[in-house]
Amino acid sequence: MRSRFFMIWFLSVLMFLSVGCGTDKDRVPNEATGAIPEAKSDGQPTETDFIENTLPEETAPETTPSEEAEIFLPETQEAEDNQPASVDAFAPQETESLLPTGYDGILSSEYVIIGKDYYCVTKRKEKVGTISMPTIISLDSGDVRPLCPDPLCPHDSPAVCPYVNVNAYFPIPFCAADEHTFFVLFETSVGCRMDRLDSASGSVRTICRASEEIRLLCVEDKTVWAAVGGFLIGYDAETDAEVFRGAIPSGTTPHFIRDGKVYCSTIASLFVTDPAFAEDYDKISVTGPADAWYYDTTDGSFWINTVGEQGGAVYVCRDGGWERVDLPIENIFCFALTADKIYFSPWDPKKIRGAADKSGGKIYAVDRKDPNGEAELVYTAEEGEPLCSAASHYVVFGDFLFYSGMKIEGSSLSIAGDLPKIRIGLDTGERREIFWDGG
C-alpha cells in the first residue's frame, strides 16, 4: 500500500514539473559537461552573458563623469542637495583625483577656483558708467551669476552694491578664503581699500584703507596676505585683525606665500625668503620683471614667467631651487599651467590696427613631463582680435580657454569699457562672450 502511494505521488510531481517549467530553448545541456545553465528572466543578463557575450567596443555604454561622481564621490551628492561644505580656496588638494580636471590643486595669480566654479571679473558698460563685477562661471554647466547674492540689487553703484566698482581701469583684484568669504580691492578717490565680503550673510567690512597701492597676494592658513605700500601685512581671515607686519625691501615684489616661504622678484632676480625678509635663498638671475605665477600644491612647485623688452621665459622653483623651463621656443610672452600641460605664447608681436599683441595671437601646448618636446598649436585668435596683454592673461581649464576681451585705443590694447570673458572650446572651436549678468 505504501509502495503504491509513493508511486502515485512520484508521478504527480513529474507531471507538475513538466507543466510548470515548460521547454526553454536556451537551457540546453552543455555538450562538454552535460550541465544545464540557470534560467534568466527577460531583460536580465546573467554573469555568463558578460563573460561570453561582451558588447563590441563601439557599442559599449560610456560612463559619463557625472555617473562616476555619483558612484565614487559622495560629496558630489551633498552639493546637489544644496549643502556645500566649507572650502579653503587655497588649501592643498589631494594628489590623486577620481575626476581629474587639470586644475585640481593648481593656484594662480590669474584666477580663483572653488569646487567647479571659476571666479573672475567682467565689465559691462551701463548708463552710470562701466560696472566691474566679480563673476562666477560654472565650469560644469556654464551658468553665470554675479558675486553679489541679492537678485533685486541693481548693481549700479558702490553705495548700493558693495560688490561693484564703477569706471575702474583695472579689473577688481580679489581672492577667497572659502565659497562665502572674499577679500576685494577697490579703487577710491584717495587710493585703495580692501573689503571683506560675506556672500552668505551679505555683510561687508572694510579691513584697511591706504593712499598707497594695496596688492592682494593670497589667503593661506586663515591669513590674508597683502602688500600695503612698503609693508607685507597679514590679516586674520576671520577677525580681520592684523597678525603680521614686515617692511618690504626697496625694489622687491612679493608674489605668493606658502608654508612660511615668500616667493619674490626684483627687476633682475627671483628668490625665496621668509615673511620678515631676513634671508634670501634659492636666488636666480633673470631679465625683466616677473608676471603671472602658478603654484602646484601636489608637488610644491612654484612657476612664474618674466617678460622684458625683447621677450621672456618661464621659471620653476622646486626643492632644489630655481631653474629656467626649457621650452621649444626660447622667448616666451605668457604662459598657463595645468596638471599635465604647459600652455605658452611666444614673443611674437603682431600689429592690430596700430596696437601690438605680443603673443602673436597663438597658444601652444607641451607636456609638463617633457617641456622641450614637440609643441602643439592649440589656438589661433581670430584675425584682428587681441589675445592677451601685460594686463590680461589667458587661462585653461580642461577643454576650455578663457581670456578677456580687449579694445584697441591708439597704439595700446585697452581693457576699459565692456570687458567680457571669452570662452573658447579648444576641442570644438565654440566661442562664447560672458558678462556678469549672463551676457
Side-chain angles (χ1 to χ4, degrees):
M1 184 70 175
R2 294 179 61 185
S3 298
R4 183 180 178 185
F5 175 79
F6 179 80
M7 182 62 68
I8 294 172
W9 175 84
F10 181 74
L11 292 173
S12 300
V13 170
L14 287 178
M15 292 176 64
F16 175 79
L17 290 174
S18 64
V19 174
C21 296
T23 301
D24 189 343
K25 62 181 176 64
D26 294 325
R27 299 185 67 220
V28 296
N30 185 286
E31 293 181 359
T33 65
I36 299 176
E38 295 182 3
K40 60 184 180 181
S41 60
D42 293 341
Q44 297 297 322
T46 65
E47 183 178 359
T48 305
D49 290 321
F50 287 111
I51 296 174
E52 298 180 359
N53 302 309
T54 305
L55 290 172
E57 183 176 351
E58 66 270 18
T59 60
E62 296 183 356
T63 301
T64 64
S66 61
E67 290 172 340
E68 292 180 5
E70 290 175 358
I71 295 172
F72 298 112
L73 298 178
E75 60 268 28
T76 302
Q77 184 63 45
E78 293 176 6
E80 292 174 356
D81 294 337
N82 296 320
Q83 295 177 347
S86 178
V87 178
D88 185 346
F90 292 92
Q93 304 295 315
E94 296 295 331
T95 57
E96 294 182 2
S97 172
L98 294 175
L99 297 174
T101 62
Y103 54 82
D104 285 345
I106 306 290
L107 313 180
S108 178
S109 57
E110 304 308 300
Y111 58 76
V112 172
I113 291 284
I114 302 176
K116 300 292 185 180
D117 288 335
Y118 166 36
Y119 293 72
C120 58
V121 174
T122 61
K123 291 183 176 183
R124 173 74 89 179
K125 186 172 261 187
E126 304 287 350
K127 293 180 180 179
V128 296
T130 300
I131 305 295
S132 298
M133 168 70 79
T135 306
I136 306 170
I137 304 172
S138 170
L139 296 176
D140 277 349
S141 66
D143 291 343
V144 179
R145 65 187 189 276
L147 185 59
C148 178
D150 184 358
L152 300 180
C153 179
H155 313 305
D156 59 2
S157 166
V160 176
C161 179
Y163 292 78
V164 304
N165 209 344
V166 179
N167 294 334
Y169 180 77
F170 291 103
I172 303 173
F174 69 103
C175 60
D178 54 43
E179 74 270 30
H180 299 303
T181 308
F182 300 89
F183 298 88
V184 185
L185 290 182
F186 292 104
E187 297 176 4
T188 68
S189 59
V190 295
C192 297
R193 80 173 191 274
M194 181 167 69
D195 288 355
R196 180 184 189 276
L197 309 178
D198 188 330
S199 61
S201 66
S203 66
V204 180
R205 296 202 302 265
T206 296
I207 297 177
C208 70
R209 301 176 186 271
S211 57
E212 302 171 285
E213 179 188 30
I214 301 175
R215 292 178 52 247
L216 265 174
L217 304 182
C218 61
V219 179
E220 195 239 353
D221 194 23
K222 303 302 181 183
T223 300
V224 185
W225 292 97
V228 183
F231 293 91
L232 177 66
I233 302 179
Y235 299 92
D236 187 291
E238 295 179 351
T239 67
D240 305 338
E242 186 175 311
V243 295
F244 179 87
R245 176 182 288 256
I248 300 173
S250 177
T252 294
T253 301
H255 297 278
F256 178 67
I257 298 177
R258 195 73 174 183
D259 298 328
K261 295 180 179 180
V262 185
Y263 295 86
C264 301
S265 69
T266 66
I267 196 66
S269 67
L270 299 169
F271 64 94
V272 181
T273 185
D274 59 278
F277 298 93
E279 179 183 2
D280 299 344
Y281 52 93
D282 294 343
K283 181 175 285 191
I284 187 173
S285 296
V286 298
T287 301
D291 200 8
W293 59 258
Y294 287 80
Y295 181 82
D296 190 336
T297 63
T298 61
D299 61 11
S301 57
F302 179 80
W303 305 67
I304 196 168
N305 72 307
T306 61
V307 185
E309 291 298 325
Q310 298 300 320
V314 177
Y315 295 86
V316 59
C317 183
R318 309 182 200 271
D319 293 337
W322 291 93
E323 63 181 65
R324 178 170 175 161
V325 180
D326 189 16
L327 293 170
I329 299 174
E330 183 176 0
N331 278 331
I332 305 300
F333 177 64
C334 61
F335 87 114
L337 187 79
T338 68
D340 56 354
K341 292 184 181 295
I342 303 172
Y343 295 85
F344 67 91
S345 295
W347 176 273
D348 183 23
K350 177 182 178 181
K351 286 290 185 180
I352 303 177
R353 302 189 302 278
D357 181 347
K358 296 176 182 178
S359 73
K362 289 182 170 59
I363 302 176
Y364 294 84
V366 291
D367 194 311
R368 265 181 64 171
K369 296 180 180 178
D370 184 22
N372 197 29
E374 184 176 356
E376 175 190 5
L377 178 63
V378 297
Y379 182 70
T380 301
E382 295 181 2
E383 188 66 29
E385 179 184 35
L387 176 61
C388 59
S389 70
S392 178
H393 304 90
Y394 53 76
V395 295
V396 179
F397 304 120
D399 293 327
F400 289 105
L401 165 72
F402 290 86
Y403 60 94
S404 295
M406 289 180 283
K407 298 189 306 183
I408 308 297
E409 290 189 351
S411 60
S412 301
L413 301 179
S414 171
I415 57 175
D418 278 8
L419 179 63
K421 188 64 68 174
I422 298 171
R423 188 190 73 180
I424 302 291
L426 292 177
D427 54 345
T428 64
E430 180 185 2
R431 174 190 172 94
R432 178 187 177 190
E433 292 192 0
I434 301 172
F435 291 92
W436 53 266
D437 57 357

